Amino acid sequence: MKTPCLWYSRKGIINKPVVLLLHGAITTSMMWPDSFVNNLANRFNVYSLDLRESGKSGIGEKFYTLEDMADDVSYFMRTHRLKNVHLVGASMGGAISQLVAIKEKENVKSLSLLMTTSERGIWSRSMPSPSIEQLKSIEEECNFYIKGDIVSGLKTRFEFCSIGKKEVDINVKKWVRHGFNPICGHMYAFESSPSRTCLLSEIVCPTLILHGDSDALFPIEHAYLMHENIKNSKIKVVNGMKHCILEENSKLLSRYIKNYINSI
């Protein structure tokens, strides 16, 4: 399968440990708040990728899986000679990070998994379903995209996360200017790829699991399932956190990650 060229930004101290940020489905590297990236960049060498079909990255094949996306990341690490990488993945990016940690055992120093799952997308039979309100919000968002109204679709997503109007407007402008593709194949990849829970025992690096107790897409049971199956893992439940990373909680989350990496 053709490996697409992945766009990235880099910020931080070149000779410090590498932190690689992997964003969620139908987002881009712009999902990481500036304060989140800056707090990590004060101590580390931070790379933030646009995954395939996201932002400024290439497309590759029309249909692909999470395995293919993990191969993209592995290829990026090799071509940029990134060693002893600390992977930070949110939502779908967390699922991809799990696979990369298994593929690149000798090259992944730690994992930080934010608001993600090891199950097959959002419809796991063994886990609680997303809330009705969350599903209605996703439907409303998608309907805007079908009509070609990207701005209203993004506003629907951000407003469901209880983001203030000012931050909503800033995020919408930032995402649209960078390049936002609402019809990418991320959800197909996420929902069609098999569960990774049975593979979690193959993750040998230290793993931090950060999950909100108000996550309506992946209820907290997803986090405990990963914690039970990753041997060297630590879990931190963030009070009031939904399925999004906001400016208001980015400093807290980045501090947890920074302290965890420093403790290894």
Side-chain angles (χ1 to χ4, degrees), residues 25 42 45 52 77 81 100 113 137 148 163 173 183 186 188 214 226 233:
N42 287 337
N45 186 13
R52 66 163 66 189
M77 290 166 58
R81 300 180 181 179
V100 175
L113 303 175
S137 176
I163 302 178
K173 289 179 181 178
I183 58 172
H186 290 176
Y188 173 84
S214 299
M226 292 185 291
S233 65

Side-chain angles (χ1 to χ4, degrees), residues 21-51:
L21 305 180
L22 304 182
H23 61 76
I26 319 181
T27 65
T28 72
S29 57
M30 296 296 103
M31 73 157 282
W32 306 104
D34 291 340
S35 57
F36 181 90
V37 176
N38 291 337
N39 287 343
L40 292 176
N42 287 337
R43 185 69 62 89
F44 307 114
N45 186 13
V46 181
Y47 288 76
S48 184
L49 292 185
D50 279 344
L51 298 170

Side-chain angles (χ1 to χ4, degrees), residues 99-116:
L99 295 172
V100 175
I102 294 170
K103 293 172 180 286
E104 304 283 345
K105 287 184 173 66
E106 297 181 357
N107 211 14
V108 174
K109 188 77 171 178
S110 77
L111 276 182
S112 293
L113 303 175
L114 285 71
M115 56 189 193
T116 189

Side-chain angles (χ1 to χ4, degrees), residues 70-190:
D71 287 340
D72 294 345
V73 176
S74 293
Y75 182 76
F76 178 87
M77 290 166 58
R78 290 195 301 273
T79 55
H80 289 79
R81 300 180 181 179
L82 303 182
K83 304 292 184 181
N84 298 318
V85 174
H86 299 276
L87 282 177
V88 178
S91 196
M92 183 189 72
I96 295 169
S97 296
Q98 296 160 26
L99 295 172
V100 175
I102 294 170
K103 293 172 180 286
E104 304 283 345
K105 287 184 173 66
E106 297 181 357
N107 211 14
V108 174
K109 188 77 171 178
S110 77
L111 276 182
S112 293
L113 303 175
L114 285 71
M115 56 189 193
T116 189
T117 181
S118 60
E119 287 294 280
R120 182 176 179 175
I122 64 176
W123 296 115
S124 168
R125 295 180 180 179
S126 62
M127 292 284 105
S129 300
S131 71
I132 297 299
E133 292 77 15
Q134 174 75 79
L135 294 175
K136 287 181 178 179
S137 176
I138 292 173
E139 181 182 18
E140 182 180 355
E141 178 184 345
C142 290
N143 285 336
F144 280 121
Y145 296 149
I146 292 171
K147 298 174 184 177
D149 189 350
I150 292 176
V151 170
S152 295
L154 286 174
K155 284 185 175 181
T156 299
R157 181 189 303 192
F158 294 138
E159 288 169 357
F160 182 79
C161 293
S162 302
I163 302 178
K165 184 180 184 306
K166 183 178 180 180
E167 189 174 348
V168 167
D169 291 340
I170 291 173
N171 281 334
V172 169
K173 289 179 181 178
K174 183 168 71 170
W175 285 37
V176 171
R177 286 173 180 171
H178 184 71
F180 176 69
N181 179 12
I183 58 172
C184 63
H186 290 176
M187 289 312 299
Y188 173 84
F190 209 174

